């Protein structure tokens, strides 16, 4: 059964929180696909992941580049899994599809965006009603993740 995690951003931006979570996934030898809600967001995250840290970068590509199957991380707006990822991050209101195709599904949403909050609540209800086990994580005042449910 797919492990489904909801990550509620309250203290940092997606750009600050996502790279660390992706790095942890890669350290476990998992391939990652990141689904965004728009091409503009995909392209913005693409640029950000190359420069997010002076000490490292996240090797990745978008679904528009050749040989996606060779990439540890793929950024996409679509529902496909071009690199055979075991972990899928959904950001900016991207809707999960093919939930069972992943070991872990991570839905990240901005706590300062009312539309994203409402959408996350609806996704929680739908996934719970479908019989999935869900966990909910929220940032504390230091920006660390705390399991709330």
């Amino acid at each position: 059964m797919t492990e489904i995690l909801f990550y509620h951003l309250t203290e940092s931006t997606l750009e600050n929180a996502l790279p660390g979570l992706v790095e942890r996934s890669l350290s476990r030898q998992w391939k990652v696909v990141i689904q965004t809600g728009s091409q503009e967001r995909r392209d913005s995250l693409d640029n950000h992941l190359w420069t997010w840290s002076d000490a490292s970068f996240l090797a990745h590509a978008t679904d528009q580049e050749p040989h996606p199957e060779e990439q540890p991380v793929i950024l996409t707006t679509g529902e496909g899994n071009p690199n055979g990822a075991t972990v899928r991050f959904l950001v900016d209101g991207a809707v999960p599809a093919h939930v069972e195709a992943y070991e872990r599904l991570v839905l990240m949403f901005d706590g300062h965006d009312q539309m994203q909050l409402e959408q996350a609540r609806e996704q929680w209800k739908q996934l719970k009603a479908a019989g999935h086990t869900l966990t909910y994580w929220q940032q504390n005042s230091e920006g660390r993740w705390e399991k709330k449910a």
Side-chain angles (χ1 to χ4, degrees), residues 67-114:
H67 310 294
E69 68 281 357
E70 298 174 5
Q71 299 298 327
V73 178
I74 289 289
L75 295 156
T76 185
T77 59
E79 297 177 356
N81 187 1
N83 65 340
T86 53
V87 179
R88 185 175 199 93
F89 285 84
L90 296 116
V91 301
D92 293 336
V95 178
H98 315 293
V99 172
E100 299 79 18
Y102 301 92
E103 288 182 30
R104 179 175 281 191
L105 193 69
V106 181
L107 294 96
M108 299 183 75
F109 59 98
D110 184 345
H112 303 289
D113 183 320
Q114 190 61 36

Side-chain angles (χ1 to χ4, degrees), residues 16-32:
N16 291 334
L18 181 63
L21 294 172
V22 171
E23 276 193 332
R24 280 188 228 137
S25 295
L26 294 175
S27 73
R28 295 176 177 169
Q29 305 303 310
W30 293 340
K31 284 190 171 186
V32 173

